[in-house]
Amino acid sequence: MSSNPAAALARIDAGSLQDIFEEKPGRIQQPVMQCVQIKPIAASAGGQERHRVIFNDTRNYIQTMLAVHQNHLVEEKILRRGVLVQLLGYTANKVKSKRILIVTEIKVLEEFGEHEKLGDPKPLEVKPEDEEKPFPTAISSNGFYGAKQETPKPSRPMPSHPKPSSSSAHANIYPIEAISPYSNKWTIKARCTSKSDIKTWHNRNGEGKLFSVNLLDESGEIRATGFNDQCDMLFDLFQEGNVYYISSPCRVTFAKKQFSNLPNDYELHFEKDTTVEKAEEQDGVPQIRYNFTSISDLQSVEKDTTIDVIGVLKDIGETSQITSKTTSKPYDKRELTLVDNTGYSVRLTVWGKVAANFDVPPESVVAFKGVKVSDFGGRSLSLLSSGSVTPNPDMEEAHRLKGWYDSQGRSGNFATHANVQGASAGTGGRSDPFKTISQVKEEQLGMSDNPDFFSVKASIQYIKQENFCYPSCLSEGCNKKVVEIDPGQWRCERCDKTWERPEYRYIMSVNVSDHTGQLWVSCFDETGRMIMGKTADELMEIKEVDEKALGDIFSEANCRTWNWKCKAKLDSFQEQQRVRYQINSASPLNYVTESQKLIDLIKQYGTD
């Protein structure tokens, strides 16, 4: 591998960043640059981690966003600080005083090695005459999918044009990953990968209806919803698999993760002036994108995680019905059994019209996007309302499974995850020896086959406010997470019941420390009530009306010292093993007892 800085400097396409945004004739379409910094962005609730990457063309540098399907380059340390890269796919936008570059496909040029910052780059600045030119360019490995229209200079009169073709009429193509509440005057070109049925609701505030679609382009995915009049106008227009142009005005809001499994912080709400048009050209936009988890790996996936899965349909159960407690209407469900070439089987439940109309023949290969992992009866799966079912997809994974099943899988025996259990029971009369945090780590507690139990005196340093609680079933002794299938309808998979509201229960991640070190621990409802001084329901009510007051309550819980009884257990997730620390109980300090402990400790080191 070469480490010659001169050779690397000569390979970089100097000035290419400026060329990208100025759309200069003859510019290099897939320029070479240097990666000078990679910074992870914390994932929002239910979302995927994303990365900001700074690229340098020796004259300028710019902060970019790496598309989530390219995360593996960072995780596998292929994309690193100092390496040279070739941008194969990207979308560039100018919005007022900002430059936005989304990188959708990248090639790392390993032969040039790693180097300190090459050249003397300056921040890429927006020229005053460019501030009102929001015409982006989009390059993919297949070429352009958004061509720039020529913009007349302000000093010249606007020329008249005949009506352009569909592609040229939508030159201002915005990448989905660049959409935020601060974006305006944008058009996306996206494929509809999923479309829900029309849902209705009736509550004290009125009644209405809605439907939702999932939209995909090369940069990412986003959910869009049409309410009432927009539901009537757009429902028949959208068809799964077709490509559309969607143009603002369209409201951008924070995503409600309970209704969507997409890795996007935002979602769209169609408005009366939103323009939706079916694209004449249906290529240039990716098909549905999967991230499959094998059935054998489900035992190491945390409950309530949303995944994609593919398998052979081994068994199809009969349709059964449950009754909604709030509407008293029947609700269809059907249980399927999937197997794959890892030798495992799993039960997957589909609901509503998907269950009633399910007509995929047995022994078909089926891909499911957007299924929730449950620990009910071991490990099982449930198709979310925003998920999709694709029988016999034309992809490598499906062909491989079909070949395996025909040759040996049809007559095979399959293991299940029936013995995978949730949290352990109470502590009984077990001994929990006192440890310092450094002793916990030095003694490698939790690294054996069986969990280890210990006590520790430690202070709270930080409590994660994201996902500090979950909506649970109201049935006595259940406590399972419920899912809002419609406004005011919360369904419990375990009890087959629907409630008007859930009871929120704590599930918190807390950083605690003593004088020897720090640990991340998880704690549940009883402990959460003790350290927060309020129920999770009360905190959710506060969160709805006053985010600052919620933050103050979390701040007040910091720096308080407790005696914790803990469990350390080895856990596997995505082929990585780590010890998880769980709080079984917490108690406030008894200063008389603590003083006696100190006296006894001093005596151990005392002299005559």
Side-chain angles (χ1 to χ4, degrees):
M1 181 181 293
S2 171
S3 59
N4 186 345
L9 192 63
R11 184 65 180 88
I12 291 178
D13 295 311
S16 53
L17 282 171
Q18 192 73 49
D19 292 348
I20 286 174
F21 286 94
E22 292 186 0
E23 278 287 277
K24 288 187 176 180
R27 70 182 178 85
I28 298 171
Q29 302 297 324
Q30 296 181 337
V32 173
M33 303 179 189
Q34 183 190 26
C35 170
V36 295
Q37 189 180 85
I38 304 172
K39 181 179 180 181
I41 304 171
S44 62
Q48 288 183 244
E49 185 178 66
R50 302 168 76 178
H51 298 87
R52 285 198 177 99
V53 184
I54 296 179
F55 289 117
N56 159 37
D57 69 4
T58 71
R59 295 181 188 174
N60 298 108
Y61 65 84
I62 188 173
Q63 181 173 265
T64 72
M65 183 75 75
L66 192 67
V68 292
H69 63 271
Q70 295 286 289
N71 279 355
H72 68 95
L73 295 176
V74 178
E75 294 163 357
E76 297 168 11
K77 300 191 183 304
I78 298 172
L79 179 61
R80 316 179 294 281
R81 183 177 180 273
V83 300
L84 267 58
V85 301
Q86 186 172 22
L87 305 190
L88 303 180
Y90 55 88
T91 54
N93 295 268
K94 293 181 291 189
V95 182
K96 295 188 176 180
S97 60
K98 291 185 176 181
R99 301 286 181 104
I100 301 173
L101 188 66
I102 308 291
V103 178
T104 57
E105 188 172 355
I106 198 171
K107 177 183 179 182
V108 177
L109 306 180
E110 291 280 8
E111 64 269 23
F112 289 94
E114 302 173 28
H115 304 275
E116 294 299 319
K117 184 171 63 177
L118 297 170
D120 185 22
K122 304 293 189 297
L124 187 63
E125 297 180 351
V126 178
K127 297 179 181 179
E129 62 268 24
D130 287 342
E131 288 194 356
E132 298 303 322
K133 295 180 184 179
F135 294 99
T137 184
I139 301 290
S140 71
S141 55
N142 299 319
F144 285 97
Y145 70 82
K148 177 179 180 289
Q149 278 186 308
E150 197 65 38
T151 306
K153 295 181 180 180
S155 59
R156 295 165 55 190
M158 182 73 74
S160 60
H161 296 280
K163 185 176 180 180
S165 66
S166 177
S167 60
S168 61
H170 298 285
N172 186 19
I173 302 300
Y174 223 71
I176 283 177
E177 286 216 16
I179 289 179
S180 76
Y182 313 105
S183 309
N184 52 38
K185 295 182 180 179
W186 50 261
T187 296
I188 59 173
K189 182 181 180 183
R191 190 179 303 278
C192 174
T193 59
S194 175
K195 172 185 169 183
S196 75
D197 295 326
I198 292 178
K199 300 177 181 179
T200 59
W201 76 86
H202 305 268
N203 56 35
R204 62 185 180 185
N205 296 321
E207 59 184 42
K209 55 186 173 181
L210 62 87
F211 84 104
S212 297
V213 291
N214 290 348
L215 302 170
L216 168 73
D217 71 5
E218 288 203 0
S219 72
E221 295 179 85
I222 197 166
R223 182 172 182 263
T225 302
F227 296 87
N228 300 326
D229 292 343
Q230 283 66 49
C231 179
D232 293 334
M233 290 189 295
L234 298 175
F235 181 79
D236 292 332
L237 176 59
F238 277 106
Q239 299 297 325
E240 289 185 6
N242 289 342
V243 177
Y244 298 87
Y245 292 106
I246 298 102
S247 302
S248 60
C250 187
R251 189 152 62 94
V252 183
T253 66
F254 286 100
K256 295 181 178 179
K257 295 299 183 179
Q258 67 267 37
F259 298 123
S260 174
N261 61 298
L262 300 184
N264 198 317
D265 293 333
Y266 303 109
E267 62 184 38
L268 305 177
H269 289 180
F270 297 127
E271 297 185 330
K272 65 178 182 178
D273 295 324
T274 302
T275 303
V276 179
E277 177 187 353
K278 184 179 177 181
E280 292 180 3
E281 64 286 351
Q282 292 286 300
D283 55 359
V285 178
Q287 301 290 333
I288 187 170
R289 186 178 290 138
Y290 294 96
N291 183 20
F292 291 123
T293 298
S294 69
I295 298 177
S296 66
D297 285 343
L298 291 178
Q299 60 186 335
S300 59
V301 178
E302 294 181 347
K303 68 181 292 291
D304 297 328
T305 302
T306 300
I307 63 166
D308 304 333
V309 68
I310 187 170
V312 178
L313 198 57
K314 185 73 170 176
D315 184 61
I316 304 172
E318 295 294 326
T319 304
S320 60
Q321 291 186 331
I322 61 173
T323 302
S324 167
K325 189 171 182 178
T326 55
T327 64
S328 298
K329 293 181 180 179
Y331 202 72
D332 292 318
K333 63 176 289 190
R334 188 193 294 264
E335 293 187 351
L336 314 173
T337 301
L338 285 183
V339 299
D340 69 7
N341 53 2
T342 63
Y344 274 78
S345 69
V346 68
R347 175 169 50 86
L348 190 153
T349 305
V350 294
W351 306 89
K353 289 186 178 180
V354 176
N357 301 328
F358 194 84
D359 59 356
V360 181
E363 301 191 345
S364 299
V365 177
V366 188
F368 294 86
K369 183 173 182 62
V371 294
K372 189 188 72 171
V373 178
S374 168
D375 64 355
F376 179 56
R379 279 291 188 270
S380 59
L381 303 174
S382 177
L383 182 68
L384 299 173
S385 59
S386 57
S388 64
V389 182
T390 306
N392 301 312
D394 185 11
M395 59 176 62
E396 181 183 348
E397 294 91 340
H399 301 320
R400 190 187 309 121
L401 275 175
K402 183 64 174 174
W404 158 80
Y405 190 77
D406 289 342
S407 64
Q408 54 184 297
R410 183 176 283 110
S411 57
N413 295 317
F414 297 92
T416 69
H417 295 295
N419 293 326
V420 178
Q421 301 296 328
S424 63
T427 58
R430 184 190 56 247
S431 172
D432 297 330
F434 179 83
K435 303 285 184 181
T436 63
I437 289 177
S438 65
Q439 288 174 326
V440 170
K441 295 180 177 180
E442 290 167 1
E443 296 174 16
Q444 297 186 324
L445 298 186
M447 292 295 289
S448 60
D449 293 336
N450 297 318
D452 290 313
F453 298 87
F454 62 94
S455 298
V456 64
K457 183 176 71 174
S459 302
I460 297 174
Q461 299 301 314
Y462 180 72
I463 304 173
K464 287 186 179 180
Q465 295 187 36
E466 301 84 8
N467 297 330
F468 67 87
C469 64
Y470 71 96
S472 73
C473 178
L474 295 177
S475 296
E476 184 176 356
C478 179
N479 297 336
K480 293 296 181 182
K481 183 177 180 180
V482 294
V483 178
E484 190 173 14
I485 56 175
D486 280 313
Q489 295 188 42
W490 297 81
R491 181 177 59 78
C492 176
E493 196 175 297
R494 179 179 181 180
C495 300
D496 280 353
K497 292 182 179 179
T498 302
W499 308 92
E500 293 183 359
R501 62 173 182 82
E503 177 189 15
Y504 285 94
R505 296 178 63 85
Y506 285 109
I507 178 169
M508 297 194 299
S509 183
V510 183
N511 185 271
V512 301
S513 70
D514 63 9
H515 63 287
T516 66
Q518 59 86 26
L519 280 181
W520 279 102
V521 298
S522 57
C523 61
F524 301 101
D525 196 59
E526 184 177 348
T527 305
R529 291 178 183 228
M530 182 171 292
I531 65 177
M532 299 304 297
K534 295 182 182 296
T535 66
D537 271 330
E538 290 171 330
L539 282 197
M540 286 298 290
E541 290 178 6
I542 294 171
K543 182 179 179 181
E544 291 295 323
V545 297
D546 193 344
E547 287 275 358
K548 183 180 182 302
L550 179 71
D552 291 342
I553 293 171
F554 275 91
S555 295
E556 289 176 7
N558 290 336
C559 302
R560 294 187 177 178
T561 304
W562 299 80
N563 278 318
W564 312 93
K565 286 194 174 184
C566 309
K567 179 179 76 171
K569 183 180 180 182
L570 193 63
D571 183 46
S572 297
F573 182 62
Q574 295 181 346
E575 299 183 356
Q576 293 186 349
Q577 288 189 322
R578 61 174 178 172
V579 177
R580 290 188 179 274
Y581 302 98
Q582 176 184 312
I583 301 296
N584 290 328
S585 67
S587 58
L589 298 186
N590 182 318
Y591 290 100
V592 174
T593 303
E594 294 299 322
S595 298
Q596 188 59 51
K597 286 181 182 178
L598 289 174
I599 292 171
D600 293 340
L601 188 62
I602 291 170
K603 286 181 178 179
Q604 293 179 23
Y605 296 92
T607 58
D608 294 335

